[in-house]
Amino acid sequence: MGKTAKRIAIGATIAAVGGYIAGILTAPKSGKETREDIKNKALQTYTEAEKELKKLHTQLADVLGQVKDKADDLTGKARSQYDDIIKKSQETKDKVRELLSSLHEGDADDKDLKKAIQDAEKSIDNLKAFLKK
C-alpha cells in the first residue's frame, strides 16, 4: 500500500470512528450501553493501529537488514549517507517499539500513533530509495 493510500485509509478510519461516535450519541440507548459501545470502538481502533505499527516495525527491521548488508561495499559520501539513514531509521524503529509498549499500557494517543505511522513509512521509503542506488 502506498503512502498516500495509507494516509487516506487512516483518515477514513478516523472519520468512520467520528461518524460512529456521533451515531452512537444520537441513538436511543442507555448511557451505559453508549459508553460501552464507545469503549469497544476505541479499543478496535487502537487494535488496528497496533497491527499497523507492528507491521511497519517488522518492515522497517527487514529493510534495515537489507541496507546493512549492502553497507560493506560503501565508502566516502555513500558511507556517510548510509550512516545517517541507518541512525534515523533505527531511531524511528525504537520510537515505534516504545509506542507499541505505550499502547499496551494505555498511554498512547491518536497524535502519537499517526506520527509514528508516518515516520515509519517515511523511514521505509528512504531505506528502499537507498537500496535502489
Side-chain angles (χ1 to χ4, degrees):
M1 185 181 278
K3 187 187 284 189
T4 303
K6 286 183 183 181
R7 286 184 182 162
I8 291 171
I10 291 169
T13 300
I14 291 169
V17 170
Y20 179 79
I21 290 172
I24 287 174
L25 294 175
T26 59
K29 290 185 177 181
S30 71
K32 183 178 180 181
E33 289 174 318
T34 300
R35 286 188 300 276
E36 189 66 30
D37 285 348
I38 292 171
K39 179 182 168 185
N40 289 339
K41 191 61 177 179
L43 180 61
Q44 179 185 357
T45 301
Y46 276 102
T47 301
E48 290 171 7
E50 181 181 16
K51 285 179 185 177
E52 180 68 18
L53 280 174
K54 284 181 179 179
K55 184 180 93 178
L56 288 170
H57 187 266
T58 301
Q59 266 186 312
L60 192 52
D62 291 344
V63 178
L64 266 168
Q66 291 172 19
V67 170
K68 286 178 181 179
D69 290 343
K70 183 179 178 179
D72 293 336
D73 302 329
L74 299 177
T75 59
K77 185 177 178 183
R79 183 63 188 209
S80 176
Q81 288 176 336
Y82 161 81
D83 291 339
D84 186 48
I85 288 172
I86 290 296
K87 180 181 175 194
K88 289 177 183 175
S89 296
Q90 189 63 48
E91 288 171 358
T92 299
K93 183 177 170 246
D94 292 343
K95 286 178 186 175
V96 168
R97 188 181 63 242
E98 288 172 16
L99 186 58
L100 283 168
S101 295
S102 294
L103 194 57
H104 282 285
E105 295 168 9
D107 295 335
D109 65 22
D110 290 342
K111 190 169 106 176
D112 293 336
L113 292 171
K114 288 178 196 175
K115 175 106 172 83
I117 289 171
Q118 290 172 349
D119 290 348
E121 289 172 342
K122 184 178 177 182
S123 287
I124 290 168
D125 290 344
N126 288 340
L127 289 167
K128 287 180 177 179
F130 183 82
L131 284 172
K132 289 181 182 179
K133 289 182 181 181

